[in-house]
């Protein structure tokens, strides 16, 4: 629990300390040099002493140091040992001097055992220390032109020696801190602040590439100007101060380039499409960058570059710029070049107006622009055709066609080129008027107007105007039907084209057209003769020709007249007709009049046949008479008449007198009561049958027949019919009996006596007698 420590070491001394040990009344310290014979040191200390200094030791020597704690009886209570080397011997300074204003260099002889040295420079209460390994050593961080006390101590692993005897040394003057600038392309100005303890200054200047001669100036001032230098050239400038003894201080080196000369051969090319200027020049010596300035009034545009050309963007149209170029390097800038004037392209013309001062002529006008020498107007139609006008005025005339959309742009020009494209205007001319339109009357109050499509028209308006009103029709098609027109009226018909962009073309030509005559009105129909029907109407148009048509299943019959009546001839019998009239004039044809029904009397039957059924009954038949519904047949003679009214085409007439000539007539009656009287060839009834027929037997095979003759001039014939044969007997005229012989017996016979004439066959209705 007993220990010892060393708190300082010098060349001949070691400083020890230890803690108080319980029960110790004294302490004994022994130092024995290692590797050195008969050199040891013994020292006693009271219990109140806890540290000691061992002196008179050998420098740079290792000692074994032992400390013992002893009680009052001389008994060693505890002990401890430590090895410690003394510091090297004290060095001796040979010389100390200053080469730089912030340092002093010291030279000395080496000290055995020293591993390093501690240099100390003291200025009053302040000092600066530096550890070096060998001689010479330099103390840095000092103040310029200041006197310092310089000491040195040697150092090894044991510690540091005592300081050497001091030497005095003074630092040299500080270097002047230069402020250098190139006032112009051939001069450099140098200035500095006053240096402490300086008596004068020396400044030299030389090209950094070693060419040329050095310029040197000594002065007591704090500024100099070197002139007649090369432009844009790098120079090395060195300056130092000296004291009153002429000893120079630190020098200061600075590289400075003279500013460049202004560029030459400045050229400006205007780029029309990009609204920018390309500025170029001859490169100048020593220039690192260039700056181009384009000024127009208060507006300034710049562009910087390291090459010999630069683009100045965003030039405004219609402006004049003054362009100058300056060269730059780290020294500054050259003078600006003489300004080059650049007039940019004119701005696009504004306030463009387009008007159609008359159909087919467009007038384009605009406001003049700055620097606009002349103008070109381009007019392109929507079919791709383009025309232009070149003028120094502010308006142009163009031919235009109807129904076109024109795209119009105006450019201004000067030597710089063409103005940018301004607003492109479009102007649509009025649509073309339909020409050669054709009007076709559908009826007297309706006309259909057709035309071919025209350019630019989106809609058409057809207008029919007369004194009492206007009829309109709007449609996108190229046809229009005007209805509700007044018949027999003159109209002014116009077809207007219309477009949304331009409206209606009001210059379209009109056509005068008259509507067809009004429909006639049939007043009455009368029968003038057997086959003549007269139709009467009210005439309302002197130029019209009226056509009357009778239309029925039998066909069509017409009559024509320019007056107010005409006759229909040879209309068929038994037919129903619808009679109407139309008026026809050069303007067209009217609608037909209201139809009036017309019925002709029924036709007489063509064939009429009379067949005598009995002596007093006759069967009459006839063919159908067209149009007839009922028939009235009549046989008339002085002895009386026979009459029959029937729906059929045949009739049985009784009360006929035999051997009588009759007049035959027939009336055909239509459903409406129209009657046709038909007359036929006369009819003669059959000769009367004989009366009072009696039979007498003439033996077994003969018979005599008696009768009473109705007319002595008529011959009779007797017919005998039986199962065993037929027999005939015809007496001569005037006789009223006849014998039939050689007839088989035992048979039943039918006996008929009939008159015989040359007008036809004998009647079959005479009475029969049976004979057995």
């Amino acid at each position: 629990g007993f220990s010892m420590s060393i708190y300082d070491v010098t060349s001949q001394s070691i400083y020890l300390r230890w803690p108080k040990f319980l029960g110790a009344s004294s302490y004994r310290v022994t130092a024995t040099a290692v590797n050195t014979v008969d050199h040891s040191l013994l020292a006693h200390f009271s219990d109140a002493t806890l540290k000691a200094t061992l002196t008179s030791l050998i420098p740079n020597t290792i000692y074994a140091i032992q400390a013992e704690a002893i009680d009052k009886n001389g008994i060693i209570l505890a002990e401890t040992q430590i090895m410690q080397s003394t510091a090297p011997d004290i060095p001796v300074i040979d010389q100390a001097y200053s080469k730089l204003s912030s340092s002093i260099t010291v030279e000395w002889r080496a000290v055995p055992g020293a591993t390093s040295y501690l240099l100390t420079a003291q200025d009053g209460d302040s000092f600066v220390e530096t550890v070096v390994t060998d001689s010479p050593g330099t103390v840095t961080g000092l103040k310029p032109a200041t006197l310092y006390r310089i000491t040195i101590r040697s150092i090894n692993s044991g510690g540091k020696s005592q300081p050497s005897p001091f030497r005095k040394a003074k630092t040299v003057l500080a270097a002047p801190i230069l402020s250098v600038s190139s006032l112009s392309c051939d001069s450099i100005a140098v200035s500095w602040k006053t240096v402490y303890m300086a008596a004068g200054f020396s400044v030299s200047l030389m090209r950094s590439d070693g060419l040329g001669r050095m310029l040197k100036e000594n002065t007591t001032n704090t500024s100099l100007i070197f002139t007649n230098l090369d432009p844009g050239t790098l120079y090395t400038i060195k300056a130092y101060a000296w004291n009153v003894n002429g000893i120079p201080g630190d020098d200061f080196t600075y590289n400075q380039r003279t500013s460049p000369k202004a560029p030459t051969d400045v050229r400006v090319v205007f780029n029309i499409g990009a609204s920018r200027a390309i500025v170029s020049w001859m490169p100048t010596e020593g220039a690192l960058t260039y700056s181009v300035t384009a000024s127009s009034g208060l507006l300034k545009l710049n562009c910087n570059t390291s090459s010999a050309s630069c683009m100045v963007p965003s030039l405004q149209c219609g402006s004049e710029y003054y362009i100058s170029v300056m060269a730059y390097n780290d020294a500054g800038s050259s003078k600006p070049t003489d300004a080059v004037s650049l007039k940019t392209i004119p701005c696009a013309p504004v306030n463009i107006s387009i008007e159609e001062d008359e159909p087919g002529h467009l007038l384009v006008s605009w406001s003049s622009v700055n620097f606009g020498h002349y103008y070109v107007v381009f007019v392109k139609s929507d079919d791709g055709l383009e025309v232009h006008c070149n003028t120094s005025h502010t308006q142009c005339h163009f031919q235009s066609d109807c129904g076109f959309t024109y795209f119009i742009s105006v450019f201004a020009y000067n030597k710089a080129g063409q103005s940018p494209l301004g607003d492109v205007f479009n102007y649509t001319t009025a649509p073309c008027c339909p020409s050669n339109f054709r009007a076709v009357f559908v009826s007297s109050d309706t006309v259909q107007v057709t035309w071919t499509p025209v350019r630019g028209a989106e809609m058409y308006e057809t207008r029919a105007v007369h004194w009492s009103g206007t009829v309109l029709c709007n449609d996108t098609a190229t046809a229009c039907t005007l209805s509700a027109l007044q018949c027999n009226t003159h109209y002014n018909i116009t077809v207007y084209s219309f477009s949304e962009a331009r409206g209606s073309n009001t210059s379209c030509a009109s056509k005068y057209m008259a509507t067809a005559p009004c429909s006639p009105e049939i007043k009455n129909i009368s029968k003038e003769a057997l086959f003549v029907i007269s139709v009467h109407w009210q005439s309302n148009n002197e130029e019209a020709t009226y056509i009357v048509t009778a239309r029925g299943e039998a066909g069509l019959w017409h009559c024509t007249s320019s007056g107010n009546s005409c006759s229909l001839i040879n209309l068929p019998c038994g037919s129903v007709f619808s009679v109407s009239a139309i008026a026809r004039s050069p303007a067209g044809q009217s609608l037909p009049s209201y139809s009036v029904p017309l019925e002709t009397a029924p036709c007489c039957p063509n064939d009429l046949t009379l067949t005598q059924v009995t002596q007093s009954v006759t069967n009459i038949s006839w063919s159908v008479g067209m149009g007839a519904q009922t028939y009235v047949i009549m046989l008339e003679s002085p002895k009386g008449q026979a009459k029959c009214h029937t729906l059929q085409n045949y009739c049985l007439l009784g009360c006929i007198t035999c051997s009588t000539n009759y007049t035959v007539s027939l009336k055909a009656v239509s459903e409406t009561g129209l009657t046709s009287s038909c007359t036929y060839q006369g009819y003669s009834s059959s000769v009367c049958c004989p009366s009072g027929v009696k039979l007498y037997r003439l033996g077994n095979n003969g018979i005599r027949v008696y009768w009473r003759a109705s007319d002595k001039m008529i011959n009779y014939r007797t017919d005998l019919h039986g199962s065993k044969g037929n027999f005939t007997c015809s007496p001569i005229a005037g006789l009223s009996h006849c014998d039939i012989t050689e007839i088989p017996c035992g048979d039943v016979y039918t006996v008929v006596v009939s008159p015989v004439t040359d007008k036809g066959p004998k009647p079959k209705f005479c009475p029969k007698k049976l004979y057995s």
Side-chain angles (χ1 to χ4, degrees), residues 13 18 67 97 144 154 184 210 219 226 232 274 285 295 358 380 400-401 405 421-422 448 643 692 702 722 747 759:
S13 302
W18 57 88
Y97 53 88
S154 59
S184 63
T219 180
F226 293 93
E285 179 69 26
S295 302
E358 60 180 88
K380 186 174 184 178
S400 63
D401 290 325
T405 296
L421 175 63
Q448 186 178 53
K643 185 176 183 182
D747 198 1
K759 296 181 179 178

Side-chain angles (χ1 to χ4, degrees), residues 508-541:
C508 298
S510 302
K511 284 187 178 181
Y512 286 93
M513 300 189 70
T515 56
C518 297
S519 299
E521 180 184 357
I522 296 176
K523 292 299 183 180
N524 62 70
I525 298 176
S526 61
K527 184 175 181 181
E528 299 297 331
L530 180 59
F531 298 106
V532 178
I533 300 295
S534 181
V535 182
H536 300 267
W537 60 86
Q538 182 178 346
S539 175
N540 54 19
N541 191 321

Side-chain angles (χ1 to χ4, degrees), residues 444-557:
S444 58
D445 64 348
T446 302
V447 62
Q448 186 178 53
V449 184
T450 58
W451 57 91
T452 55
V454 293
R455 192 173 51 244
E458 298 171 4
M459 183 177 286
Y460 300 94
E461 179 182 83
T462 306
R463 180 176 299 186
V465 179
H466 72 111
W467 62 271
S468 63
T470 301
V471 179
L472 295 177
C473 169
N474 292 316
D475 205 331
T476 56
T478 57
C480 194
T481 300
L482 297 170
S483 57
L485 302 179
Q486 294 184 11
C487 58
N488 197 28
T489 303
H490 282 83
Y491 281 92
N492 184 5
I493 297 178
T494 312
V495 180
Y496 297 98
S497 52
F498 177 86
S499 69
E500 187 174 348
R502 189 53 55 196
S504 179
N505 190 338
T506 58
S507 63
C508 298
S510 302
K511 284 187 178 181
Y512 286 93
M513 300 189 70
T515 56
C518 297
S519 299
E521 180 184 357
I522 296 176
K523 292 299 183 180
N524 62 70
I525 298 176
S526 61
K527 184 175 181 181
E528 299 297 331
L530 180 59
F531 298 106
V532 178
I533 300 295
S534 181
V535 182
H536 300 267
W537 60 86
Q538 182 178 346
S539 175
N540 54 19
N541 191 321
E542 294 180 356
E543 297 179 358
T545 299
Y546 296 89
I547 301 171
V548 176
T549 300
R551 180 178 285 102
E553 293 184 358
L556 297 175
W557 274 259

Side-chain angles (χ1 to χ4, degrees), residues 172 236 242 245 340 417 726 736:
V172 297
T236 300
W242 68 80
N245 298 320
V340 177
N726 297 324
S736 57

Side-chain angles (χ1 to χ4, degrees), residues 657-671:
T657 304
C658 56
S659 299
T660 303
N661 290 328
Y662 286 90
T663 300
V664 182
S665 63
L666 182 143
K667 287 185 178 180
V669 183
S670 69
E671 186 178 357

Side-chain angles (χ1 to χ4, degrees), residues 544-584:
T545 299
Y546 296 89
I547 301 171
V548 176
T549 300
R551 180 178 285 102
E553 293 184 358
L556 297 175
W557 274 259
H558 304 281
C559 69
T560 302
S561 172
S562 59
N564 57 6
S565 68
C566 73
S567 296
L568 294 170
I569 302 173
N570 295 325
L571 292 180
C573 58
S575 299
V576 175
F577 294 93
S578 176
V579 180
S580 63
I582 60 170
R584 184 177 294 166

